[in-house]
Amino acid sequence: MPLSDAPTGLDPATAAQRLRAEGPNDLGTSQRRTLRAMAWDVVREPMFLLLLGAGGIYLAMGDAHEALILLGFVVVIMAITVLQERRTDNALTALRDLSSPRALVLRGGAPVRIAGREVVREDLLLLAEGDRIAADGTLVQAHELATNESMLTGESEPVAKQPGQAVFAGTLVVSGQGLVRVSAVGRHTELGRIGQSLDTVALQASPLREEMARLTRRLVFVGLALCALLVALFWALRGDALHAVLAGITLAMGILPQELPVIMIVFLALAARRLAAQQVLTRRLNAVETLGQTSVLCVDKTGTLTQNRMAVAALCIAGQELDTQALSADSLPEAFHELLEYAVLASEIDPHDPMEQAFHRMAAEHLRGTEHLHPEWLLAREYELSPQLLAMSHLWRDGGAAEDTVAAKGAPEAVADLCHLPAAEHAAVSAQAARLADRGLRVLGVAKARHPVGQDWPGLQHDFAFEWLGLVGLADPLRPEVPEAIAQCGQAGIRVVMITGDHPRTASAIAAQAGIAHERVVTGDAMAAMPPAALADAVRKVSVFARIKPHQKLALVETLQAQGEVVAMTGDGVNDAPALKAAHIGIAMGQRGTDVAREAAALVLLHDNFAAIVQAVHRGRQTFANLRQAMIYTLAVHVPIIGLALLPVLFGWPLVLAPLHIAFLELVIDPACSIVFEAEGAATNLMQRPPRRANEPLLPGRLLGLSLLQGGAVTAAVVGLYAALLGRGEPPGLASAAAFAVLVAGNAALILPSRSGAASGWRSLWQGLTPVSLWVLGGTLAALTAITTVPWLAGAFKFMPLSPAQWLGAVGTGLALVTVFETAKRWAWPKTPADQAP
C-alpha cells in the first residue's frame, strides 16, 4: 500500500503536548558531569595537593596568615578550573544533543525530520534503508523491510519484518521501507530497559593527545628529579627541613604542566562547538585536530557538488531527442509517453531517490488522465541493482492480463546489454548517451519486457526478453558555492577527487563546471582491471573516478592513505560507511545521509553545504595554530618560574618565590591560554598554506627552542635585576617585589608575540587584538600593581611596596622584553612561502 494511503499522523500540537507531559525520547541518563564531580577532580590534581601541602607546612611553621591567603588562592584557582570544565562540558553536551538519532515522522499529514528525542507515543515513523529506528513500535506498512537487531539480540543476521510485527529502538533498517506506529519511547523501550546509552561524544586517542601526554610525562619526571635535588641542596646548605620542602613544593608547582591537557580539551571542544554553529557536527573531537592535515578531499557528485534536485531534462527515442525543460503541462508528445511510463514503472512506488522522484513528478504533470499510469497494478517482483549489473527491474501484475509487465532502468550500457542490442544499435545508444553526458546530464536507459502469467519468474534480469525504449537525461545543477570552495581547496594545497557512480562524461562535465581537474577519467571497470602499481599511479594523478562501485570507494581511500595522504571522504549511503570509517575524516551528509553513514563519520554536514567542508578545514587549521601558540607561551612562562625557584638556592640568596606567588601566576597563565589564545582569529593567509604534515609535531625543535629562548630571556632579566638590587644592598622584600613585577610584566608582554603566530613585525603584535586579550592584559597589570604597591597586599606576599618610579622601572623592564621575544620569533619560526605572504 503506498504511503499516501497511510494515516496522517499526530497533530503537531498534540505531539508537543505529549512531549511536555511524558518527557523526551531518551534513556534518562545524563552524561553531564555535576559540579561536585568537577570539584573532586580538581581536588585530586597534583597542583591542588601541592598547594594544600604548602598550606600545611605554613601552619606547622606557625604562619597561619600565609596559610589562609594561600587557601584563598586555592579557592579562586578551583573556581576558575571548574568554570573551564563547565564551559567544555556545555560544548560537549550541545554536541551530544545534535548527534542523537534523527527521525522522519508524519505530523499533520506531512513528513517532518525531527530529533529522535522529540518522538512521542503514537507518532508515525517513516523508515528507509540505513535509518536507525528511534523508538519501539508496530509496523503499519512494510515493503521488503529487514532490520539488524544485533545490538539487542547479538544475532547479526537481518530480520525480515511484516505489517503487525514489532520493531525496536536502536535497531537498524538494512533494506526496504516501512511505516511504524510508536508504542514506547525512552526508558520504556527494550533498549531503555537494558539501560544502554546510544550516543557519546568523547575525546578519542589521537597523535596530538599522545604527544601531549608524552610531553607531560617527561616534564613530570624532570620536575620530580629537580625537586628532589633542590630539597637536598637547600637542606644541605641551610639546614632547614621545612623550608627545604617548601622550596621543593614551589619548584614542583612551577614545573608541573597541569595546564597542557586542560588547554587541549578546551580548545578542541570549543572548536567543535563553533563548527556546530556553522552547521558542521563533530562526532569525534580528534577530527578537529586532523582537519588541518587534510591533503585529499574525496567527494561524491550527486548532492555534494550538485543540488540533488533531479529534473528530467531530455528524452531520447529512436534517434529523436526532446528537451523537456521548456515543456508546458500536458504538452509531452505522444511518442515519448511510453518511455516515461516505463521509467516510472521501474521506480519505487513511493521513492526516496531524487531521480525516481523526478520521474513521478513529470508523469503526474504529463501523463495524468492517460492509459500510461497504472495505480491499480500490483508490484509482484523486484530485481535489485547490483555491482555486477547496474540496472534494476520491476515485474508488475495487472489482474486480468495474460502477461506480466516488466520495466527496467539503469546505466545505458547495462540496459543495452539486457536488450541484447546488435553492435550497431549499441554503438548508437552509447554515442547518444555520451552526447547527453557531455552536457552534464545523468543518463539512464529504459527497457520493457513481457512475461506469461503462470510461468516461473526468472532468477536473473537477463532471462527476460527486453525491448529497448530509449534514454532519459536528468539534470542536477551544481551548487552555487562549489566552484569557489574548490578554488579555496586548491589554494590550501588540498586536492579534490570526485568519486561517482555516474557516466564518465557526466562526471567530466560536472568536474569541469566545479573546477576539478578532469583531463582524464578512470572508470570502475578500468580500475578493477589495473594491477596495483597502475592503480597507485592513477590514484596519484587522476581526480575524477566514474562508474565506481561502493567497495571501490574503500579501495581508493586505502590507496590514497598508503601514499601518505590524509584523506577526508564524503558519503551518504549505507554502502559508503566502510569508506567513511576508513578515511581519516569521514564526512556524512546530514539531510540526505543515512544514519549508518552519520554514525560511521567523524563530521556531519547538517545542511549538506559543500562550502562547510572548507570552513571546517579552516577551523581545524586555526585551532591547531592557536593551540601551538598557547603551548609555546605555556612552556616559556614556566622557564623563569623554574629559574627563580632554583637559582636563589644555588647562590645563597633569599628565596623569591613561594607557593603563594606560583598560585598568583597560575591566575595569569590559565586565562591567557584558555581565553586569549583559543579566541584568536586566524591568519589571513591560513588557507594559502599547504596542509600540515601528518607526522608534524605540535612543537617542532625550532619552536621548542623559541619557547625556551623566550623563557630564558625573562629569567635573565628577572634574576639579573634581583641580583643587582641585592648587590646594592636593597632589602630582600624590595628586590623580590621588583623581580616579581618584571616576571609578571614579561609574561604579559609575551602574550603579544605568541598570539600573533608566524607573523612578524610590530604591527602584528597589535593587529586583531581582541577585547578579551585587552581585559586579560589590563587585569594582569592591575593585579600586579595592587600586590606590589598597596602596603597590606604587598605584605601578604612578603614584598616591600614599590614607589611609582620603582614600579614603572620594573614593569617597563618586563614589557620591554617584547623586543627580545619578537627578535627570537623571527629567528626561530619555521618559514614557508605562505608565511611570508602579507
Side-chain angles (χ1 to χ4, degrees):
M1 181 173 69
L3 293 180
S4 58
D5 296 336
T8 59
L10 289 178
D11 178 75
T14 303
Q17 191 279 331
R18 186 163 294 172
L19 181 63
R20 289 192 298 269
E22 300 182 4
N25 177 34
D26 55 38
L27 301 184
T29 56
S30 174
Q31 296 171 341
R32 189 181 179 90
R33 295 205 306 157
T34 64
L35 287 173
R36 185 176 181 180
M38 292 179 185
W40 176 242
D41 282 347
V42 175
V43 169
R44 293 184 296 171
E45 283 290 323
M47 177 64 72
F48 185 88
L49 296 176
L50 288 171
L51 286 169
L52 288 182
I57 292 175
Y58 278 123
L59 286 175
M61 295 166 59
D63 194 343
H65 182 259
E66 189 86 10
L68 288 174
I69 294 176
L70 195 59
L71 182 61
F73 272 105
V74 166
V75 172
V76 173
I77 290 174
M78 177 185 284
I80 290 175
T81 305
V82 169
L83 286 174
Q84 280 183 329
E85 289 280 336
R86 175 63 77 183
R87 192 181 183 200
T88 303
D89 199 57
N90 287 338
L92 293 178
T93 299
L95 295 178
R96 292 187 188 106
D97 290 342
L98 284 170
S99 63
S100 65
R102 312 293 288 176
L104 186 64
V105 300
L106 281 176
R107 295 270 175 90
V112 181
R113 179 77 63 180
I114 63 173
R117 67 192 312 271
E118 296 175 8
V119 172
V120 298
R121 279 189 312 103
E122 298 188 0
D123 253 332
L124 289 176
L125 294 180
L126 292 161
L127 302 182
E129 180 180 334
D131 287 349
R132 182 75 68 183
I133 301 175
D136 287 2
T138 304
L139 273 172
V140 178
Q141 300 171 20
H143 176 64
E144 296 187 350
L145 185 71
T147 63
N148 184 326
E149 299 180 349
S150 59
M151 70 182 304
L152 292 175
T153 65
E155 298 292 333
S156 59
E157 289 297 318
V159 179
K161 295 290 183 177
Q162 301 297 328
Q165 292 184 327
V167 295
F168 303 101
T171 59
L172 178 69
V173 178
V174 294
S175 64
Q177 303 171 10
L179 183 70
V180 174
R181 187 178 301 279
V182 174
S183 59
V185 297
R187 289 175 292 177
H188 303 289
T189 62
E190 287 296 317
L191 185 65
R193 281 191 279 271
I194 295 173
Q196 294 182 355
S197 175
L198 291 178
D199 287 281
T200 58
V201 178
L203 182 63
Q204 306 291 327
S206 66
L208 189 59
R209 192 182 184 194
E210 291 170 359
E211 180 186 351
M212 194 80 75
R214 286 194 300 270
L215 178 60
T216 302
R217 285 195 298 269
R218 288 170 186 164
L219 290 175
V220 167
F221 289 139
V222 170
L224 290 175
L226 288 176
C227 288
L229 177 62
L230 182 63
V231 171
L233 282 174
F234 195 106
W235 200 349
L237 296 173
R238 307 193 187 186
D240 189 334
L242 285 179
H243 278 93
V245 174
L246 198 59
I249 289 176
T250 303
L251 180 60
M253 291 172 64
I255 294 176
L256 275 180
Q258 76 285 344
E259 304 98 341
L260 300 187
V262 174
I263 290 169
M264 181 174 180
I265 193 169
V266 167
F267 274 50
L268 295 183
L270 293 180
R273 183 69 181 272
R274 288 190 170 92
L275 283 174
Q278 296 174 326
Q279 303 302 312
V280 180
L281 170 63
T282 308
R283 300 194 73 253
R284 286 185 284 277
L285 286 183
N286 62 304
V288 177
E289 164 198 339
T290 314
L291 276 167
Q293 299 175 324
T294 303
S295 58
V296 175
L297 174 58
C298 297
V299 297
D300 187 19
K301 179 187 77 68
T302 305
T304 303
L305 298 178
T306 62
Q307 297 179 21
N308 199 29
R309 294 178 182 173
M310 286 288 187
V312 177
L315 297 174
C316 300
I317 56 170
Q320 299 181 57
E321 183 175 319
L322 176 68
D323 186 347
T324 64
Q325 294 176 313
L327 290 176
S328 59
D330 300 325
S331 63
L332 181 69
E334 176 68 29
F336 294 90
H337 282 197
E338 186 181 39
L339 175 60
L340 181 58
E341 171 191 2
Y342 278 86
V344 172
L345 290 173
S347 303
E348 296 293 339
I349 297 172
D350 185 63
H352 292 275
D353 183 271
M355 292 185 294
E356 296 185 344
Q357 291 174 345
F359 296 149
H360 277 264
R361 285 196 304 270
M362 187 171 185
E365 185 176 357
H366 293 283
L367 300 182
R368 184 177 49 210
T370 71
E371 73 278 8
H372 297 285
L373 291 180
H374 311 284
E376 73 283 359
W377 285 11
L378 174 68
L379 179 60
R381 174 72 187 269
E382 287 191 66
Y383 294 86
E384 299 291 340
L385 193 78
S386 70
Q388 292 75 36
L389 181 64
L390 296 177
M392 60 184 293
S393 299
H394 285 175
L395 187 148
W396 295 88
R397 176 153 292 174
D398 176 12
E403 290 183 314
D404 294 330
T405 299
V406 185
K409 67 174 173 61
E413 61 269 27
V415 177
D417 184 49
L418 287 177
C419 296
H420 305 289
L421 293 180
E425 289 186 38
H426 198 296
V429 166
S430 297
Q432 195 169 44
R435 286 195 298 273
L436 293 175
D438 284 341
R439 292 165 48 189
L441 301 182
R442 177 77 180 269
V443 186
L444 295 179
V446 181
K448 68 175 183 178
R450 301 287 181 183
H451 186 76
V453 172
Q455 287 190 15
D456 291 340
W457 297 325
L460 301 173
Q461 299 178 69
H462 267 293
D463 296 333
F464 289 110
F466 279 108
E467 176 186 343
W468 177 263
L469 291 177
L471 295 170
V472 181
L474 298 107
D476 185 10
L478 199 70
R479 290 182 181 272
E481 73 274 6
V482 164
E484 182 180 353
I486 297 288
Q488 289 176 351
C489 287
Q491 292 172 358
I494 301 171
R495 176 180 160 217
V496 179
V497 175
M498 180 198 292
I499 303 175
T500 179
D502 279 352
H503 191 281
R505 290 176 179 264
T506 305
S508 180
I510 294 296
Q513 296 174 32
I516 299 173
H518 59 284
E519 293 77 14
R520 179 184 170 194
V521 178
V522 171
T523 65
D525 290 342
M527 181 177 157
M530 289 180 179
L535 175 60
D537 184 65
V539 168
R540 189 178 294 110
K541 297 176 181 177
V542 177
S543 295
V544 180
F545 294 84
R547 288 285 188 251
I548 295 297
K549 300 175 178 63
H551 70 276
Q552 292 178 314
K553 291 185 179 182
L554 177 60
L556 286 170
V557 168
E558 291 176 338
T559 303
L560 285 165
Q561 290 175 326
Q563 294 174 356
E565 305 286 1
V566 176
V567 182
M569 169 84 189
T570 68
D572 60 357
V574 175
N575 290 327
D576 291 331
L580 289 173
K581 191 171 184 180
H584 293 100
I585 305 174
I587 304 172
M589 301 296 112
Q591 290 181 315
R592 64 187 175 87
T594 62
D595 283 346
V596 174
R598 286 192 289 269
E599 289 174 7
L603 299 178
V604 178
L605 303 186
L606 299 180
H607 283 178
D608 293 5
N609 186 341
F610 181 81
I613 300 175
V614 181
Q615 295 169 359
V617 172
H618 183 276
R619 172 58 60 182
R621 291 188 175 190
Q622 181 179 343
T623 298
F624 183 85
N626 290 351
L627 184 59
R628 170 175 279 175
Q629 289 158 210
M631 293 297 105
I632 293 171
Y633 174 81
T634 301
L635 293 179
V637 298
H638 277 267
V639 172
I641 296 174
I642 296 170
L644 283 180
L646 276 173
L647 295 177
V649 176
L650 296 177
F651 291 110
W653 300 332
L655 296 181
V656 180
L657 296 180
L660 180 64
H661 304 111
I662 304 294
F664 177 86
L665 291 169
E666 290 295 322
L667 298 181
V668 177
I669 297 171
D670 285 348
C673 292
S674 63
I675 299 176
V676 175
F677 290 107
E678 193 281 328
E680 276 301 310
T684 55
N685 61 355
L686 187 64
M687 292 299 284
Q688 280 75 52
R689 303 174 187 174
R692 192 176 84 251
R693 298 188 309 276
N695 60 352
E696 181 179 341
L698 177 61
L699 287 183
R702 289 175 70 90
L703 294 185
L704 183 60
L706 169 64
S707 183
L708 297 177
L709 185 60
Q710 290 175 333
V714 179
T715 305
V718 173
V719 174
L721 178 65
Y722 185 60
L725 291 174
L726 290 179
R728 285 170 40 188
E730 298 289 350
L734 181 66
S736 296
F740 192 76
V742 174
L743 174 62
V744 174
N747 287 347
L750 183 55
I751 292 175
L752 297 175
S754 297
R755 54 163 288 279
S756 61
S760 296
W762 294 109
R763 287 184 59 194
S764 68
L765 299 177
W766 307 103
Q767 282 179 335
L769 198 61
T770 63
V772 172
S773 302
L774 294 174
W775 275 107
V776 171
L777 289 169
T780 298
L781 293 178
L784 175 63
T785 303
I787 66 170
T788 55
T789 61
V790 179
W792 66 271
L793 279 176
F797 280 79
K798 305 295 188 194
F799 293 154
M800 285 182 61
L802 298 175
S803 68
Q806 291 169 333
W807 185 90
L808 286 173
V811 171
T813 300
L815 295 179
L817 289 172
V818 74
T819 59
V820 180
F821 302 150
E822 183 64 21
T823 302
K825 188 176 73 173
R826 292 188 185 190
W827 165 80
W829 203 282
K831 298 297 188 297
T832 66
D835 288 334
Q836 303 305 316

